[in-house]
Amino acid sequence: GRGPSHIAQNPKSAQSNLFPVEVAPSFMFAIYGIKATDKHGHEIQSSGGRRRRNEMWAKGLNHLLTKLGKTEKQIKMIERTIFFDGSACYSAKPIEGLRSTNLPVILWGGSEDTTSGAGEVGDQLEVVSVEPYSAPYELQCRNVATPGGSAQVEFRCGTCPGRAFVNAQSLLQHCREQGCTPAYGNGGGEKPP
């Protein structure tokens, strides 16, 4: 064997750029698996392949969100929470229109005349899978129940995905200036019932 892996089985905290961080009970993200092919049906693997896949992802996602009625501001907010890795894409929240029940979805291309600034003629990008992840069960259970009529606030914005603040004052100032709502213990910007 290769010996112990020195990786905790159920980590509840981690080092991030040398800053200690703690995983919040409401932590979640989704990984989208993608498949990019050229006009001959071969996977795009060339040295410029990552750039081509990234262009197709960006254009295709923008087109999808526009079709779903999202405003330019909403699209920019969603794009800020996405990290494109070449063969997968990480998102701080599930992306509307790319739910597992809708997949696979051709996000870009598929026809001989599709170029429009992304990839090459005949390139196609397909979202083939989504894998949602959330905080470990142990962290979700450690959530202290809030007394009736109150809500838990984690100093993160419930409207802007991926925005967190160091204290309540910063969060409330952001919400006043942007017209947002804080995230409550139920995971979103909605007040609990």
Side-chain angles (χ1 to χ4, degrees):
R2 294 169 36 186
S5 69
H6 303 291
I7 298 174
Q9 292 297 319
N10 291 307
K12 294 175 180 60
S13 65
Q15 280 302 92
S16 171
N17 294 330
L18 304 179
F19 296 106
V21 296
E22 188 172 317
V23 179
S26 60
F27 171 78
M28 69 91 43
F29 70 98
I31 300 176
Y32 290 90
I34 62 169
K35 178 181 174 186
T37 55
D38 62 19
K39 65 182 173 185
H40 304 293
H42 300 113
E43 287 213 35
I44 298 173
Q45 298 288 336
S46 64
S47 59
R50 186 179 193 288
R51 176 195 53 80
R52 285 166 63 188
R53 290 188 299 268
N54 190 14
E55 288 173 353
M56 290 187 292
W57 170 267
K59 294 276 188 178
L61 181 64
N62 190 295
H63 179 70
L64 172 73
L65 295 175
T66 302
K67 272 189 357 187
L68 293 172
K70 300 291 182 190
T71 65
E72 193 62 33
K73 182 179 179 182
Q74 290 171 320
I75 292 171
K76 290 291 180 199
M77 276 201 295
I78 292 168
E79 287 174 345
R80 280 196 292 270
T81 66
I82 294 174
F83 174 74
F84 184 81
D85 187 30
S87 60
C89 185
Y90 299 84
S91 175
K93 286 189 172 186
I95 300 171
E96 189 178 341
L98 295 178
R99 307 274 185 207
S100 60
T101 54
N102 303 351
L103 299 180
V105 168
I106 295 175
L107 198 60
W108 182 259
S111 67
E112 286 294 318
D113 59 348
T114 304
T115 53
S116 242
E120 296 176 5
V121 175
D123 283 357
Q124 175 177 300
L125 184 113
E126 183 176 13
V127 179
V128 293
S129 65
V130 61
E131 196 66 44
Y133 290 90
S134 62
Y137 177 74
E138 295 82 6
L139 286 178
Q140 294 175 11
C141 291
R142 93 170 174 192
N143 231 353
V144 179
T146 55
S150 68
Q152 175 185 354
V153 179
E154 295 181 353
F155 307 134
R156 63 186 177 87
C157 183
T159 310
C160 304
R163 294 290 308 263
F165 301 88
V166 294
N167 57 37
Q169 183 180 3
S170 301
L171 168 65
L172 294 174
Q173 179 180 347
H174 164 79
C175 289
R176 273 192 305 273
E177 291 173 359
Q178 301 296 319
C180 298
T181 308
Y184 294 94
N186 63 356
E190 322 256 319
K191 289 187 180 181

